[in-house]
Amino acid sequence: MDYLGEKCPICNKVFTEDDDIVVCPDCGTPHHRECYFANGKCAHEEYHFIGRKWEKKTAEKPKYKICPVCRFPNGSNDMSCQRCGTDLRSVGAATEQEHMKNESSGEQWKDPFAAADNEELIDPIKYLGYDPDDRIGDATVREASDFVGPNTIYYLPKFKRLSEDGVRPSFNLLGFIFPSLYFANRRMWLWAAITVAIGALLEFPSDLMVILNDAPSDLPAEMLSFLSNHARKIELLADISVALNISARALCCFFSNWLYYRFTMRSIKKIKSQHRPASHIKQAGGIRPLNALLIMLIKYGAGLMLLAALFFCVEFAFTFNEVYNV
């Protein structure tokens, strides 16, 4: 019988091809010869009284191919890696027991078919083949992944390129459609506030055009008169604001990833400089959908404040003209 991969019940070490193994004649338990004679008896002597036989615990696993690039366990017949596409025709298939021999010689190995821990079940390709201890800017891959949280499959390659190439544009659709919501969701409050302020100002002329075209019945006469008298100017300003708004969104679209990369690196560096536990990196990062809801309310509130300010200024101007007959 092949005992490779099994453990000696006395020293608890894995058997290798070079070990001298003796088997108990009564129950069949394998031992290192030195361990057996040092112990003076079978480690499972209790088996002898109940007639129990030793059973092999390490079953032969199906053969597989470990990708040399991303370390993904592929089937023995796969010609290319199922994850990264690397050619596997020159990679030999191996069994668990053959890898266990490497472990006994000091090489670290993890069974890819073993039960996954909770973190692996949530994100089975968390590091995308990168070494977790590799550097990305001022952080490791593990730290960056912990801070990003959801969607590391998108951000880790982006961060890796940004750390190597510096400032460079990369496409972020959410940064174009909802820039303030994107920044708030990723806890980037400064940029969320900046985009809210810019967005509210640039969308204000278009809001005035909506009010002018669909004027409510309870709209003050002074305000309606002001909008009507300046309709052409407001329309021109709205067209210019739309173009500027699209330009601003385009900048967010192409540089949101770079801004988030800088924010991630600075946040991790700050946490590490304060000697806080690594668990704080996860707590400080990730996404917060409620932040997006909050920033949306702030944005609409800012728009209403601009309208209220305009109403006040128009009413004040009309009152001033009536009093002083200007």
Side-chain angles (χ1 to χ4, degrees), residues 56-95:
K56 186 177 178 65
K57 296 180 180 179
T58 305
E60 185 78 3
K61 296 289 184 180
K63 290 197 172 185
Y64 52 88
K65 292 180 179 179
I66 298 294
C67 175
V69 176
C70 69
R71 310 304 299 165
F72 186 81
N74 299 273
S76 59
N77 296 323
D78 288 342
M79 304 300 291
S80 61
C81 178
Q82 297 178 24
R83 179 192 292 173
C84 67
T86 299
D87 189 352
L88 299 178
R89 285 176 291 184
S90 61
V91 178
T95 63

Side-chain angles (χ1 to χ4, degrees), residues 127-231:
Y127 303 119
L128 306 179
Y130 297 124
D131 184 343
D133 296 321
D134 277 353
R135 303 294 300 181
I136 295 183
D138 295 322
T140 64
V141 170
R142 178 183 289 105
E143 291 167 344
S145 179
D146 288 344
F147 187 87
V148 169
N151 214 10
T152 54
I153 193 172
Y154 172 81
Y155 284 107
L156 279 185
K158 300 284 187 187
F159 284 7
K160 195 72 173 176
R161 286 196 294 269
L162 287 169
S163 67
E164 295 171 354
D165 301 337
V167 182
R168 57 177 295 172
S170 59
F171 188 79
N172 187 317
L173 181 61
L174 191 59
F176 178 79
I177 302 175
F178 303 113
S180 56
L181 272 63
Y182 168 78
F183 290 128
N185 189 40
R186 286 289 173 178
R187 297 179 148 193
M188 302 169 66
W189 283 110
L190 175 60
W191 284 105
I194 291 174
T195 51
V196 160
I198 294 175
L201 288 172
L202 294 179
E203 293 172 10
F204 185 60
S206 298
D207 294 338
L208 292 180
M209 287 301 302
V210 172
I211 295 174
L212 180 61
N213 295 330
D214 301 315
S217 58
D218 58 347
L219 187 69
E222 296 86 354
M223 188 65 189
L224 183 59
S225 176
F226 172 82
L227 295 178
S228 299
N229 294 335
H230 299 83

Side-chain angles (χ1 to χ4, degrees), residues 313-326:
C313 292
V314 170
E315 186 176 356
F316 177 80
F318 271 86
T319 302
F320 184 84
N321 290 338
E322 289 178 358
V323 172
Y324 295 97
N325 295 320
V326 177

Side-chain angles (χ1 to χ4, degrees), residues 24-146:
C24 173
D26 294 320
C27 66
T29 301
H31 306 72
H32 287 116
R33 184 178 296 275
E34 293 182 358
C35 296
Y36 183 85
F37 287 108
N39 194 47
K41 59 180 180 180
C42 173
H44 293 157
E45 192 175 20
E46 67 276 9
Y47 288 3
H48 306 170
F49 301 103
I50 60 177
R52 180 178 174 182
K53 297 296 183 179
W54 176 84
E55 296 179 356
K56 186 177 178 65
K57 296 180 180 179
T58 305
E60 185 78 3
K61 296 289 184 180
K63 290 197 172 185
Y64 52 88
K65 292 180 179 179
I66 298 294
C67 175
V69 176
C70 69
R71 310 304 299 165
F72 186 81
N74 299 273
S76 59
N77 296 323
D78 288 342
M79 304 300 291
S80 61
C81 178
Q82 297 178 24
R83 179 192 292 173
C84 67
T86 299
D87 189 352
L88 299 178
R89 285 176 291 184
S90 61
V91 178
T95 63
E96 177 186 358
Q97 289 190 3
E98 290 169 343
H99 279 281
M100 292 290 284
K101 291 188 295 183
N102 295 333
E103 185 185 49
S104 65
S105 64
E107 297 182 18
Q108 189 176 10
W109 174 80
K110 181 180 179 181
D111 178 10
F113 297 101
D117 55 29
N118 292 335
E119 190 173 40
E120 289 174 330
L121 287 173
I122 295 172
D123 192 352
I125 51 175
K126 182 175 182 180
Y127 303 119
L128 306 179
Y130 297 124
D131 184 343
D133 296 321
D134 277 353
R135 303 294 300 181
I136 295 183
D138 295 322
T140 64
V141 170
R142 178 183 289 105
E143 291 167 344
S145 179
D146 288 344

Side-chain angles (χ1 to χ4, degrees), residues 285-313:
I287 60 174
R288 291 296 182 274
L290 287 178
N291 289 357
L293 177 61
L294 177 60
I295 205 69
M296 186 165 50
L297 294 175
I298 293 174
K299 182 177 180 179
Y300 283 113
L304 291 175
M305 289 178 63
L306 286 173
L307 286 173
L310 179 62
F311 289 168
F312 174 79
C313 292

